[in-house]
Amino acid sequence: TKGFLSTATHFDYEGTLFDSAQVVSINIQVEESDWENLLANATDKEYIPADITINGKTITQVGIRAKGNTSLTQVASDDTTDRYSFKIEFDHYIRDQTFDGLDKLALNNVISDATYMKEYLSYQMLESIGVNVPKYGFADIKVNGNAWGLYFTVEVLEESFLQRNYGSDYGKLYKPESDQAAGGRPQGDGQQGGEPF
């Protein structure tokens, strides 16, 4: 039969990081000066090194940066909060480093959803009809031991997602990019396009 054959692979992070029965604990340990610089220049989306402890297991020399488009602009323009969404790359500084098989993790601030459930339920509905969705859940975030809030965790759609669902990360995975931000208001020249991960 012609077509694409899906051969799923199991990874430990499916249970250790995305257990629907619990809110995981994530502590981000960073140099204070690096953290202050990340917050002050969040829209640059530059990585800084960090040690990440998830439910007591620590991974060192991990890359972390602010992420987002509309939500990033929203927080950056609000003097009352620094509650950015973040992207964690476990393999940013150490090649092939993962957390129980996961290479990249998104921490979404859910700043526009007072229920904290819209994204969760959307993935759940897609999953129920057979769509291959990223793993997802909730985490209690601390930065250098200080409370940073409840975040929505999502498996980033890159190598681990492809290997988990299709048994291989060979080929191209495309992400749509847009210069539109801040609720759809045009930024820059308004051109839209896409680039591979």
Side-chain angles (χ1 to χ4, degrees):
T1 303
K2 293 182 179 180
F4 185 78
L5 179 63
S6 175
T7 54
T9 303
H10 173 74
F11 289 101
D12 289 342
Y13 70 81
E14 296 174 55
T16 57
L17 185 52
F18 298 106
D19 180 354
S20 61
Q22 68 167 327
V23 174
V24 300
S25 172
I26 299 179
N27 187 38
I28 302 164
Q29 198 72 32
V30 293
E31 291 289 338
E32 285 292 345
S33 58
D34 287 343
W35 185 249
E36 290 170 8
N37 186 59
L38 182 154
L39 297 178
N41 303 286
T43 55
D44 293 342
K45 298 184 179 181
E46 295 291 335
Y47 283 94
I48 62 169
D51 295 342
I52 307 290
T53 301
I54 301 174
N55 285 346
K57 180 178 179 177
T58 301
I59 306 293
T60 61
Q61 285 300 297
V62 170
I64 184 171
R65 67 166 173 83
K67 68 171 284 288
N69 193 358
T70 303
S71 65
L72 178 61
T73 305
Q74 184 178 355
V75 176
S77 62
D78 186 344
D79 293 335
T80 67
T81 183
D82 285 325
R83 204 175 123 83
Y84 291 99
S85 293
F86 300 103
K87 182 176 181 182
I88 295 172
E89 283 196 356
F90 296 102
D91 58 355
H92 188 77
Y93 296 108
I94 299 176
R95 184 173 179 167
D96 296 328
Q97 177 172 252
T98 68
F99 178 83
D100 288 350
L102 181 66
D103 56 343
K104 297 172 183 69
L105 173 67
L107 304 176
N108 294 341
N109 61 12
V110 204
I111 202 166
S112 298
D113 178 13
T115 70
Y116 274 70
M117 290 300 294
K118 293 176 183 176
E119 195 170 359
Y120 182 93
L121 293 173
S122 295
Y123 283 129
Q124 195 174 62
M125 285 188 291
L126 289 169
E127 196 171 27
S128 73
I129 60 172
V131 176
N132 289 332
V133 300
K135 290 295 179 180
Y136 55 93
F138 291 98
D140 176 32
I141 306 297
K142 291 183 173 63
V143 179
N144 293 339
N146 299 313
W148 204 258
L150 181 68
Y151 275 68
F152 186 68
T153 58
V154 185
E155 171 191 26
V156 175
L157 301 181
E158 294 193 30
E159 288 88 348
S160 295
F161 171 83
L162 293 174
Q163 290 170 353
R164 182 175 63 80
N165 286 286
Y166 307 111
S168 172
D169 61 5
Y170 176 78
K172 292 187 180 294
L173 175 66
Y174 285 87
K175 174 186 175 183
E177 293 286 353
S178 172
D179 289 328
Q180 292 196 355
R185 294 190 298 272
Q187 306 290 313
D189 61 7
Q191 296 295 313
Q192 299 185 45
E195 63 180 33
F197 282 101

